[in-house]
Amino acid sequence: MKARQCKHNSRNMKRSGDSEGEKRRKRRRLLQELGDQKIPFLGPSDRGFQQLWDSSYSGLVLRRSCSLPTELHGRVQAALLTLRSKGCLLRDLVRVRDRDVFTAVSRALLGQPGHTYRYLDTRLFSIPWHSEDSEVKGQNCCDPDLRAACKALWELNTFFCSDVSQRKEGDRLAQCVKVGEIEAKHSEEGDTESKHSEDSKHSEGGDSESRQSEEGDTESKHSEEWDIESKHSDEACSGSKQEGEWETESKHSSEEGESSQVKQSELGAAAGSKHSEGKCPVWAAKTSSSTETEPVGLGAQEKPVAELKHSLSDYHIEDEEEQAGRQGCSQPSPPQMCTGPVQFNVTLLNYMDPAAMSQLKEEPYYGMGKMAVGWHHDENLISHSPVAVYSYSCHDDKGGSSEGGSAEKACWRIGLKVAWDIHTPGLTLPLQSGDCYYMRDDLNSTHQHCVLAGDTARFSSTHRVAECSSGTLDYIQSRCREALSNLHTDPETGSHSLLALLPDTLQHCEEVHNEVEFEWLRQYWFQGQRYTRFCSWWTRPMEQLEKDWRLMETMTMLILSTVEEEGRAEEGRREMAETLLAALTDRQQQRQTWRDRCHSSLAQTLPPEEAPVDRPFWGVDDPNMPLPFDLADIINRVESLLWRM
């Protein structure tokens, strides 16, 4: 990258900042118009619920707990409890608007060996699920209990892969059997659900930027500043400012046309009835002839919502920047489409106990209730790929069942809305323990979803087809081989030299150098290394990546030596110097950012086994680095050289 390209990037960053400011101003105007009014939403007991589901949320498919094999339930739920008892579920320290915040939920990533999942400037390194006997493969990286737990979740993943494509749209409520059977099951299991408990905090791992409230002393401080919106999402945060959720992927806001399939007056009137309900409803598929309590009309609320239709249309904002940054690759890959059989490659496990949270924010737009996870799209997925979620509610910190407990407790629910649309009613779906739901087709990209908190602790296993074109161990190892192919090592003396000095070749090597350091080594030592006490799978690969990185440090010094050779043609030296300076300036800035993150006040609150590590020890502070490598000094030398040319 030349110096002029850096200036171009600087201008782009300024324009991006201006665009972000304009988005915020428009969101504020939109929210001012909305005022205290609430947008309608429908639950299973509301008239028009099934019609709304069919017309505007057709990509959502529910699979009731009773339709899954009992043995599978037992293995999966035991696996989730094992992971929690071993301490594998941890809160992530993520980056939002240049500020570190803790996720509200605890989580872990399981998946194909060598896969990672990146969200909110945080890379999660997967614990491999064990589809085969790991001892046969020589991968005895986990203890027997953890291996068994990972294998059970792999079995669930295999079930989802075969089942998600077989579900037909008519199956959306097919598993809801008869009301009487559900009532019996409901009372036996003490399954509790509520339409008004919910979490409105936008999590990490999707396409959104929402705000996250934190526990303890940090909660009140950062909950005011969380604004995770459509670029980053996943089940992670609770509590968000209202304007946060409006910055969704507005390129999908044109999907408003779907709402015309449902009569606003009918759905709006029906929505009013559920605001008085508080307990988990017992429900089955509704028909137009089903008997219900006559819903109360929205009255004065309905008219303002309708009047906002045109004003909202003026505020649809394109939100497509930074797509390449999701996986941190230096050269973004073209979007991939999900074709053929579904192969979920990772599952993000989430755990939250609302009783342990000091604060959960109210869902701000519909009045759905307390939010555990705010409005978001799941991010870094193959386009149009489905998401499968297994929900397990346990009723004490040790995972005890609810038998004999009160059925009055509020249940967990998911909420859905059409992105950038306030005249299509929202949808809430209660979840019994063991229920599964699928988000298929383009539902994840055109809609947003949130998780509404119940009264009990809850696990979720969210299976996805992660976009891993630049997020696997195989990928970064191949990148290292590409860069190091330009380094020659004398077999007799061990001395190093560069094979090619073309600016494009040098630029590519330095890009890989930065990618290895900041997307892998720094990410791993910031949080990924926490899992080594449970699973050693990543230990040796990361040691090798660090060795490769050290060789790239040597290559940087060789470039510098070449640039400083007085006998070379000035034009060639200038071009090499500009390329080197751009890479080193970026490296210096990123190193400072990571140093600050490792030594932040939040990072210092973590126990030693979870605390970020400022490692490797870069430059002259590293006793294993043979070169007197002071990055600031090298940048000064290159700048001085360019000044003299």
Side-chain angles (χ1 to χ4, degrees):
M1 182 184 295
K2 310 297 186 291
R4 59 181 176 273
Q5 290 176 311
C6 292
K7 294 179 181 178
H8 176 71
N9 289 344
S10 178
R11 289 194 296 270
N12 284 343
M13 291 174 65
K14 183 178 185 300
R15 285 197 296 268
S16 176
D18 293 342
S19 173
E20 184 68 20
E22 180 61 20
K23 291 177 186 178
R24 294 181 185 177
R25 287 190 291 273
K26 289 182 177 181
R27 284 199 305 274
R28 282 195 292 269
R29 289 203 299 268
L30 183 152
L31 291 170
Q32 287 171 359
E33 287 197 61
L34 184 60
D36 295 331
Q37 303 297 327
K38 297 296 183 184
I39 307 169
F41 73 95
L42 300 184
S45 62
D46 295 312
R47 185 176 61 196
F49 171 78
Q50 189 65 55
Q51 182 185 4
L52 175 64
W53 191 339
D54 292 339
S55 62
S56 297
Y57 300 92
S58 59
L60 177 67
V61 177
L62 174 69
R63 224 188 190 289
R64 275 302 191 189
S65 172
C66 56
S67 68
L68 270 68
T70 303
E71 298 79 8
L72 182 60
H73 278 303
R75 287 193 295 272
V76 169
Q77 293 174 11
L80 294 171
L81 294 173
T82 295
L83 287 163
R84 171 151 174 77
S85 67
K86 288 183 173 294
C88 299
L89 300 172
L90 304 170
R91 296 171 69 202
D92 291 332
L93 190 56
V94 297
R95 194 78 169 167
V96 178
R97 297 190 185 279
D98 299 322
R99 182 186 294 277
D100 283 329
V101 291
F102 281 117
T103 58
V105 301
S106 301
R107 58 176 25 143
L109 182 72
L110 272 66
Q112 296 287 354
H115 278 53
T116 69
Y117 186 72
R118 192 182 191 279
Y119 75 103
L120 293 179
D121 288 344
T122 297
R123 185 177 299 279
L124 303 181
F125 294 78
S126 68
I127 299 173
W129 46 38
H130 296 269
S131 56
E132 299 178 10
D133 187 346
S134 59
E135 294 182 355
V136 174
K137 290 260 184 179
Q139 295 181 349
N140 192 15
C141 57
C142 306
D143 67 46
D145 290 340
L146 186 54
R147 283 202 303 273
C150 293
K151 186 172 183 180
L153 289 162
W154 170 76
E155 292 173 354
L156 176 63
N157 192 75
T158 302
F159 173 84
F160 280 154
C161 288
S162 63
D163 187 68
V164 68
S165 300
Q166 298 176 13
R167 297 298 101 200
K168 300 177 182 178
E169 292 194 1
D171 292 342
R172 273 188 288 283
L173 293 179
Q175 288 81 28
C176 292
V177 298
K178 295 181 180 180
V179 175
E181 295 176 85
I182 296 181
E183 288 176 334
K185 178 179 177 63
H186 180 77
S187 61
E188 289 174 4
E189 296 182 352
D191 192 12
T192 60
E193 303 176 10
S194 166
K195 287 185 170 185
H196 292 291
S197 55
E198 168 180 355
D199 59 57
S200 160
K201 177 128 188 183
H202 182 70
S203 154
E204 312 75 351
D207 293 324
S208 14
E209 288 181 17
S210 90
R211 299 193 176 204
Q212 170 175 349
S213 64
E214 300 146 20
E215 299 176 1
D217 296 337
T218 60
E219 180 156 5
S220 60
K221 177 179 178 181
H222 293 295
S223 62
E224 289 298 318
E225 302 176 5
W226 252 84
D227 194 6
I228 302 180
E229 297 156 16
S230 64
K231 294 179 190 174
H232 308 284
S233 73
D234 269 340
E235 299 186 6
C237 316
S238 67
S240 67
K241 275 193 177 180
Q242 283 191 357
E243 69 179 57
E245 282 80 5
W246 282 114
E247 187 177 350
T248 63
E249 282 192 73
S250 58
K251 59 185 175 182
H252 303 302
S253 61
S254 60
E255 306 297 327
E256 297 171 355
E258 294 184 6
S259 63
S260 63
Q261 301 175 43
V262 184
K263 293 182 179 179
Q264 175 67 25
S265 59
E266 179 183 350
L267 296 178
S273 64
K274 76 179 155 304
H275 296 285
S276 62
E277 300 174 8
K279 300 181 180 62
C280 179
V282 175
W283 57 284
K286 298 267 190 246
T287 64
S288 58
S289 61
S290 63
T291 60
E292 309 172 11
T293 302
E294 187 65 17
V296 179
L298 289 178
Q301 176 181 340
E302 188 173 0
K303 183 177 180 181
V305 171
E307 289 175 348
L308 282 172
K309 177 177 180 180
H310 297 294
S311 62
L312 273 178
S313 300
D314 296 335
Y315 297 132
H316 291 159
I317 304 165
E318 291 299 328
D319 191 14
E320 300 174 348
E321 66 236 26
E322 297 182 6
Q323 298 298 313
R326 293 181 183 173
Q327 284 285 355
C329 53
S330 57
Q331 296 184 357
S333 303
Q336 299 185 40
M337 295 288 290
C338 186
T339 58
V342 174
Q343 292 296 326
F344 296 115
N345 50 17
V346 296
T347 180
L348 190 60
L349 304 179
N350 303 287
Y351 173 82
M352 178 183 234
D353 183 359
M357 295 296 297
S358 59
Q359 179 181 353
L360 288 176
K361 293 292 183 78
E362 291 285 341
E363 193 285 312
Y365 308 119
Y366 302 84
M368 292 177 174
K370 299 288 187 181
M371 297 197 306
V373 181
W375 292 110
H376 66 281
H377 308 271
D378 289 342
E379 72 170 43
N380 279 343
L381 308 183
I382 298 297
S383 180
H384 285 66
S385 64
V387 176
V389 180
Y390 181 92
S391 181
Y392 168 46
S393 300
C394 53
H395 300 278
D396 58 46
D397 190 56
K398 298 180 180 179
S401 69
S402 64
E403 293 186 12
S406 171
E408 301 297 311
K409 291 184 179 180
C411 67
W412 286 78
R413 294 169 296 145
I414 55 169
L416 295 99
K417 70 182 180 72
V418 180
W420 279 99
D421 181 344
I422 66 165
H423 59 274
T424 299
L427 190 82
T428 60
L429 185 64
L431 296 173
Q432 298 181 23
S433 184
D435 282 353
C436 306
Y437 61 90
Y438 304 146
M439 294 186 291
R440 304 193 312 181
D441 305 323
D442 63 351
L443 184 74
N444 180 60
S445 57
T446 60
H447 294 60
Q448 286 183 307
H449 59 281
C450 68
V451 182
L452 302 168
D455 286 345
T456 60
R458 174 187 182 254
F459 294 91
S460 66
S461 181
T462 61
H463 298 246
R464 348 158 151 232
V465 188
E467 202 292 292
C468 287
S469 60
S470 60
T472 65
L473 179 62
D474 287 344
Y475 160 81
I476 195 59
Q477 287 176 334
S478 68
R479 293 275 285 174
C480 289
R481 287 192 294 271
E482 291 172 8
L484 295 177
S485 66
N486 194 42
L487 180 67
H488 172 70
T489 303
D490 188 290
E492 295 182 358
T493 66
S495 61
H496 299 291
S497 60
L498 297 176
L499 296 176
L501 296 174
L502 294 174
D504 287 347
T505 301
L506 301 182
Q507 177 181 329
H508 175 70
C509 292
E510 291 304 305
E511 286 176 350
V512 174
H513 187 167
N514 284 356
E515 185 175 8
V516 170
E517 178 173 335
F518 302 116
E519 285 299 324
W520 291 86
L521 292 176
R522 289 282 190 178
Q523 291 277 8
Y524 179 77
W525 286 105
F526 186 69
Q527 285 194 129
Q529 50 82 28
R530 300 177 299 172
Y531 292 94
T532 56
R533 53 196 165 131
F534 313 120
C535 177
S536 62
W537 194 94
W538 283 96
T539 302
R540 289 186 179 178
M542 298 310 295
E543 289 174 350
Q544 183 59 51
L545 283 181
E546 188 168 331
K547 292 178 181 178
D548 292 344
W549 171 85
R550 293 183 185 280
L551 289 175
M552 293 178 204
E553 290 279 274
T554 299
M555 294 174 72
T556 297
M557 295 303 296
L558 290 173
I559 298 173
L560 177 65
S561 299
T562 303
V563 166
E564 292 181 327
E565 287 182 13
E566 297 292 343
R568 289 188 174 273
E570 183 172 301
E571 183 58 33
R573 291 170 61 206
R574 169 176 286 277
E575 202 166 4
M576 284 190 288
E578 289 175 342
T579 299
L580 181 60
L581 180 61
L584 294 180
T585 301
D586 178 43
R587 193 170 303 157
Q588 185 183 46
Q589 293 172 347
Q590 292 200 63
R591 284 182 181 177
Q592 187 59 52
T593 296
W594 279 103
R595 288 191 189 101
D596 293 343
R597 294 191 69 184
C598 286
H599 298 288
S600 69
S601 57
L602 278 184
Q604 301 306 309
T605 65
L606 291 168
E609 64 272 14
E610 297 180 27
V613 179
D614 188 11
R615 180 210 155 105
F617 302 102
W618 317 104
V620 294
D621 295 331
D622 188 348
N624 297 317
M625 179 62 64
L627 299 170
F629 191 53
D630 185 320
L631 191 55
D633 176 66
I634 292 176
I635 290 175
N636 289 335
R637 287 161 62 181
V638 176
E639 288 177 336
S640 298
L641 180 64
L642 287 171
W643 180 260
R644 295 194 302 269
M645 287 182 178

